[in-house]
Amino acid sequence: MVAARLEPHPARVVRAPRGPQMSCKTWHAEAALRMLMNNLDPEVAEDPAHLIVYGGRGQAVRSWAAFDATVAALRSLEADETLLMQSGKPVGVLRTHDAAPRVLIANSNLVPHWATQEHFDELAQKGLIMFGQMTAGCGGMGGAQPLAVTLNGGVCLIADVDSSKLERRKKDRYLDELSLSVDAAIDRAQSAASAREAVSIGVTANAVELLQRLLERGITPDALTDQTSAHDVASYVPTGLGLAEAADLRARAPAEYLARSLATMVAHVRAMVELLDRGSVVFDYGNNLRQRALEAGFARAFDFPGFVPAYIRPEFCLGRGPFRWAALSGKPEDIFTIDQALLELFPDDAALARWLGLAGERVAFQGLPARICWLGLGQRERAGVLFNELVKSGRVAAPIVIGRDHLDCGSVASPNRETEGMLDGSDAISDWPLLNALVATASGASWVSFHHGGGVGIGYSQHAGQVSVADGTADAEARLRRVLTNDPALGVLRHADAGYAEALECARTQGLTLPMHSSSKGPA
């Protein structure tokens, strides 16, 4: 199990253009161009020289040649043409119509019988496919957790094997402090907790080493989760190896690396379960760590739940999920203008008001200024129309690109994450993300993608994404009304079909038609 060989381009720095001037023929294509470049901005990407955005080896495009060809294709794309991307490579431009998506993307997809990591890696080595985790140009993951804890008044103790990642998070104000040793980090966290001081502490160490030291010292954290790259065994770092040693072993003896990686995952989950037994609230953050440990022989790997069935599913039943946007002007002021407009649009949403206030004070921008919040069916359409009006009126300086995470209410089939423990047992049915991509295409999103393996690895998930552009035109408003209604509606339909009462009630109150429920049509 080895990553595809990609020649790095360390001297090349990519940053998205800013401002109201286009280099493409439509704002839909221009937004796709800028968000692609934003993914590779050094402030955003984990390893831009290798085109890696996040997720261990999740790439923005397959090669630098593919990047250049994609940029050229977007700049020449007509208003009635659609660019086709196959696993990070532009493969064609077809004439469609002006209300169609300007880009259609398929990443990492394999016929189910062949959807194994081993076969994927064989194809990747030949340059035929890539692991594409691009989700709207918002970059790496894993840095937000320390800030999330401190925003809620807690003490966060994190370990990362890569000291540069910790230093970067500290520079960007997502992490407060760095400790020189595991014991020093634990001592600082205990002291802060006793003093009720909200602070995040990072230490360069393997996460397993941190957990085992907590166990040895008899310290039980209140809550515990994990966000290592366990979805990709080749990116997860075994204990006993530094980064350079891990890279050497991965290249020299991939089978040995895989075995050591899986053994470490077993130790990792075993430690999490032991802390669960001692009283910690433990949950899986969605990286497939439990599945890896189970397959490697640890029978209790699923003793703790995933975060979706534990906390999030009621939100999904209402069509709620992570809704995000970026300012193509590059101006932070545009984000602040939108923050204030959203507070006026949803004056009774206390949670939204609290979040936007904290985000404005504490969240640093990386690459193009962006924001995220959770909105549901009905709210997303209103927000999109608001954004379009702000562009039209000139209150923001350039169009706004609107997307969401692939982790959403109706866009994913992932039995160990978003669809874990569905009420009707439909966890593995992937008709729903396919329908989601089709509906987004039919509704006129600016670009639509369908991926395999995101978050949990090859063979374990399928998921769809969509992005739409608010450029101030009547056409954009019509598209936004369709896309931002139908996208979350798919989530409500998915959960209503599974029998969730909250989703059935939401469908009724939002006026959705469920043909198998004759009385489902609610108020118009």
Side-chain angles (χ1 to χ4, degrees):
M1 179 181 293
V2 291
R5 293 173 183 167
L6 173 67
E7 289 299 319
H9 202 313
R12 189 168 184 179
V13 176
V14 176
R15 296 187 191 278
R18 271 72 167 160
Q21 302 303 315
M22 291 189 293
S23 65
C24 299
K25 297 181 179 181
T26 68
W27 273 111
H28 304 286
E30 181 72 20
L33 173 80
R34 295 192 189 189
M35 298 313 285
L36 169 62
M37 291 180 170
N38 197 56
N39 267 310
L40 296 172
D41 189 313
E43 294 182 7
V44 175
E46 286 190 358
D47 184 1
H50 288 87
L51 300 167
I52 292 173
V53 183
Y54 72 95
R57 50 172 160 158
Q59 295 173 228
V61 285
R62 201 185 306 179
S63 65
W64 282 106
F67 172 81
D68 290 332
T70 301
V71 169
L74 287 169
R75 284 179 169 154
S76 64
L77 200 66
E78 298 291 345
D80 61 351
E81 292 181 328
T82 297
L83 171 63
L84 305 179
M85 298 290 295
Q86 181 264 318
S87 284
K89 184 177 79 172
V91 294
V93 173
L94 298 177
R95 191 167 304 283
T96 53
H97 55 86
D98 58 5
R102 297 283 67 84
V103 188
L104 293 174
I105 303 168
N107 272 331
S108 313
N109 296 293
L110 296 169
V111 173
H113 181 76
W114 286 269
T116 65
Q117 188 69 58
E118 292 72 22
H119 188 61
F120 176 88
D121 287 338
E122 291 174 8
L123 295 171
Q125 279 289 302
K126 296 175 182 177
L128 299 174
I129 200 169
M130 75 167 195
F131 189 52
Q133 291 216 68
M134 186 172 101
T135 62
C138 291
M141 300 182 71
Q145 286 66 42
L147 180 58
V149 173
T150 57
L151 287 179
N152 286 283
V155 177
C156 181
L157 174 58
I158 67 165
D160 196 309
V161 294
D162 188 343
S163 61
S164 69
K165 299 285 179 62
L166 292 172
E167 290 163 1
R168 175 176 173 179
R169 303 308 184 198
K170 185 173 184 294
K171 178 180 70 70
D172 292 336
R173 298 188 292 124
Y174 286 85
L175 177 66
D176 295 322
E177 300 177 5
L178 296 176
S179 288
L180 296 177
S181 70
V182 169
D183 278 321
I186 293 172
D187 292 343
R188 174 69 176 105
Q190 285 193 296
S191 173
S194 296
R196 304 188 69 81
E197 175 190 3
V199 65
S200 56
I201 303 114
V203 61
T204 303
N206 193 294
V208 180
E209 296 167 357
L210 174 59
L211 296 184
Q212 290 176 339
R213 189 61 180 143
L214 289 170
L215 288 167
E216 290 167 1
R217 292 182 56 174
I219 297 169
T220 303
D222 295 315
L224 166 64
T225 190
D226 167 69
Q227 204 175 16
T228 56
S229 296
H231 66 281
D232 182 359
V233 184
S235 295
Y236 184 94
V237 178
T239 53
L241 296 176
L243 283 181
E245 296 169 312
D248 175 70
L249 181 62
R250 188 185 297 122
R252 177 172 46 82
E256 180 184 347
Y257 188 98
L258 183 151
R260 290 184 63 172
S261 183
L262 289 173
T264 300
M265 290 187 193
V266 170
H268 196 158
V269 178
R270 191 185 302 276
M272 295 177 75
V273 169
E274 188 167 345
L275 287 166
L276 173 73
D277 291 341
R278 295 187 184 186
S280 287
V281 174
V282 181
F283 58 94
D284 182 297
Y285 205 81
N287 58 3
N288 223 27
L289 181 65
R290 295 173 300 166
Q291 183 70 38
R292 302 296 189 193
L294 179 68
E295 292 173 352
F298 183 51
R300 294 188 62 192
F302 278 80
D303 276 20
F304 55 90
F307 74 101
V308 171
Y311 306 110
I312 302 300
R313 183 146 299 135
E315 300 294 307
F316 282 0
C317 289
L318 303 179
R320 286 175 61 84
F323 177 83
R324 62 191 179 195
W325 56 97
L328 296 181
S329 67
K331 294 184 175 182
E333 295 82 2
D334 282 357
I335 296 297
F336 302 142
T337 295
I338 292 172
D339 288 348
Q340 183 58 43
L342 284 172
L343 293 175
E344 295 168 4
L345 183 65
F346 302 115
D348 299 324
D349 193 329
L352 177 65
R354 178 178 182 273
W355 160 243
L356 291 177
L358 289 169
E361 296 171 1
R362 300 282 303 278
V363 176
F365 297 127
Q366 298 168 305
L368 289 171
R371 187 75 86 220
I372 190 168
C373 69
W374 278 55
L375 295 178
L377 178 59
Q379 293 177 309
R380 296 193 197 187
E381 178 205 4
R382 294 177 65 194
V385 171
L386 170 68
F387 294 0
N388 200 58
E389 181 57 36
L390 292 174
V391 177
K392 180 181 178 180
S393 67
R395 290 180 61 193
V396 298
I400 302 297
V401 59
I402 304 169
R404 57 159 171 74
D405 203 299
H406 286 221
L407 188 161
D408 199 27
C409 54
S411 60
V412 186
S414 185
N416 289 340
R417 197 163 84 167
E418 288 87 350
T419 53
E420 177 181 346
M422 292 295 291
L423 191 62
D424 62 348
S426 61
D427 304 24
I429 294 176
S430 60
D431 294 338
W432 297 99
L434 284 163
L435 286 171
N436 184 271
L438 292 169
V439 166
T441 301
S443 300
S446 298
W447 65 92
V448 180
S449 58
F450 190 81
H451 298 230
H452 167 214
V456 289
I458 297 299
Y460 293 100
S461 69
Q462 291 178 297
H463 42 105
Q466 61 79 19
V467 179
S468 298
V469 177
D471 65 5
T473 64
D475 172 70
E477 179 179 335
R479 286 175 180 249
L480 291 166
R481 287 189 183 278
R482 293 191 300 264
V483 174
L484 298 181
T485 296
N486 295 340
D487 187 47
L490 210 293
V492 176
L493 296 177
R494 196 268 182 266
H495 288 84
D497 189 73
Y500 288 92
E502 305 99 314
L504 287 164
E505 176 62 16
C506 181
R508 187 192 68 78
T509 58
Q510 293 288 338
L512 299 181
T513 299
L514 283 65
M516 297 295 288
H517 296 265
S518 58
S519 62
S520 67
K521 186 75 173 182

